[in-house]
Amino acid sequence: MTAEGFGTLASHFSDRTVVTYDPRGLGRSIRKDGRDDHRPQTQAADLHALIEALDVGPVDVFASSGGAVTALALVTAHPQDVTTLVAHEPPLMSVLPDAAAAERALAGVRDVYQAKGWGAGMAAFMAMTLWQGEFTDDYFAQPAPDPAAFGFPAEDDGSRDDPLLSDRSRAVTDYRLDLDALTSAPTRIVIAVGEETGNTFTGRTAVATADQLGQKATVFPSHHGGFLGGEFGQTGQPEAFAQKLHEVLDAAD
């Protein structure tokens, strides 16, 4: 997600200086090294450089989904950069008891995308992320979902460079936590999960990540996109979400 995804949430934090940014290779951030992968370690190094350039550290960080993985990598490598990290639903495959099945499910999404294009790939992605519980034989026995059922186009535009559906972001879901580094860091780490996310993929990864860090996941309003206020066509409960985030950040003061 690029900076514009946080516009509504940031508007509820007039009492703080808020910095949003486009991660390397996304939005306004144009890569010049010829690579197109999204390694959390590389993204974390960029975020460390940004904090240093602004001369504002240590900072509080809110990060969601793949960004939450980057933020955990930042605390691992540069623990002195972050006072409090609120990591919202990091999609970490390895923390799940059914990690192998989850990897198979995600590989299936990539296969659909490569075979049929963006609309079909997004429908498969939605079917995966909305599935409740472990990825069982029942999940894999399902027919491929109809893109129209999710409001996606059925026609294939021929592109295969979507950062979410291609292998470009595989390093995000494949990232493995350095528990020793995280638990020894001075950073206060809060793993957040949406109250509506339920037992879906990112709900399960959030709860499992919190468990590995010896804590309970902190429940936030709404769902995986709960902080959104219409950005990218998605709306959660941004005001309630912001209120909860204020409470969590202020608890450290």
Side-chain angles (χ1 to χ4, degrees), residues 214-232:
Q215 60 178 265
K216 296 288 187 182
T218 300
V219 178
F220 271 63
S222 198
H223 44 66
H224 191 64
F227 57 92
L228 294 170
E231 296 92 344
F232 310 111

Side-chain angles (χ1 to χ4, degrees), residues 143-197:
D146 179 4
F150 294 96
F152 300 129
E155 60 272 13
D156 183 355
D157 66 3
S159 66
R160 294 294 186 275
D161 57 358
D162 186 274
L164 180 66
L165 300 176
S166 66
D167 276 337
R168 294 182 176 188
S169 295
R170 182 166 183 168
V172 176
T173 53
D174 284 353
Y175 181 79
R176 291 181 176 271
L177 297 174
D178 184 334
L179 294 174
D180 289 339
L182 292 172
T183 55
S184 64
T187 304
R188 172 176 170 248
I189 300 173
V190 178
I191 305 299
V193 64
E195 63 182 350
E196 298 174 20
T197 305

Side-chain angles (χ1 to χ4, degrees), residues 6 9 60-64 84-88 192 220 227 241 245:
F6 297 94
L9 182 62
D60 292 331
V61 176
F62 168 75
S64 186
T84 296
L85 164 62
V86 180
H88 181 245
F220 271 63
F227 57 92
F241 195 102
L245 184 54

Side-chain angles (χ1 to χ4, degrees), residues 49-225:
L50 177 59
I51 293 168
E52 283 202 324
L54 294 173
D55 193 23
V56 293
V59 298
D60 292 331
V61 176
F62 168 75
S64 186
S65 197
V69 179
T70 291
L72 289 164
L74 172 66
V75 172
T76 298
H78 303 284
Q80 302 298 331
D81 280 359
V82 185
T83 303
T84 296
L85 164 62
V86 180
H88 181 245
E89 301 192 6
L92 294 166
M93 199 85 68
S94 64
V95 301
L96 295 177
D98 59 326
E103 171 56 34
R104 178 186 170 193
L106 188 57
V109 171
R110 298 188 189 106
D111 289 346
V112 171
Y113 172 61
Q114 291 297 327
K116 299 181 179 180
W118 185 84
M122 277 302 299
F125 178 77
M126 292 300 296
M128 177 194 169
T129 56
L130 292 173
W131 180 261
Q132 295 283 337
E134 295 190 5
F135 294 102
T136 62
D137 289 343
D138 288 340
Y139 171 82
F140 295 107
Q142 296 179 110
D146 179 4
F150 294 96
F152 300 129
E155 60 272 13
D156 183 355
D157 66 3
S159 66
R160 294 294 186 275
D161 57 358
D162 186 274
L164 180 66
L165 300 176
S166 66
D167 276 337
R168 294 182 176 188
S169 295
R170 182 166 183 168
V172 176
T173 53
D174 284 353
Y175 181 79
R176 291 181 176 271
L177 297 174
D178 184 334
L179 294 174
D180 289 339
L182 292 172
T183 55
S184 64
T187 304
R188 172 176 170 248
I189 300 173
V190 178
I191 305 299
V193 64
E195 63 182 350
E196 298 174 20
T197 305
N199 205 27
T200 61
F201 174 62
T202 56
R204 294 195 299 125
T205 58
V207 169
T209 299
D211 183 67
Q212 290 207 1
L213 292 172
Q215 60 178 265
K216 296 288 187 182
T218 300
V219 178
F220 271 63
S222 198
H223 44 66
H224 191 64

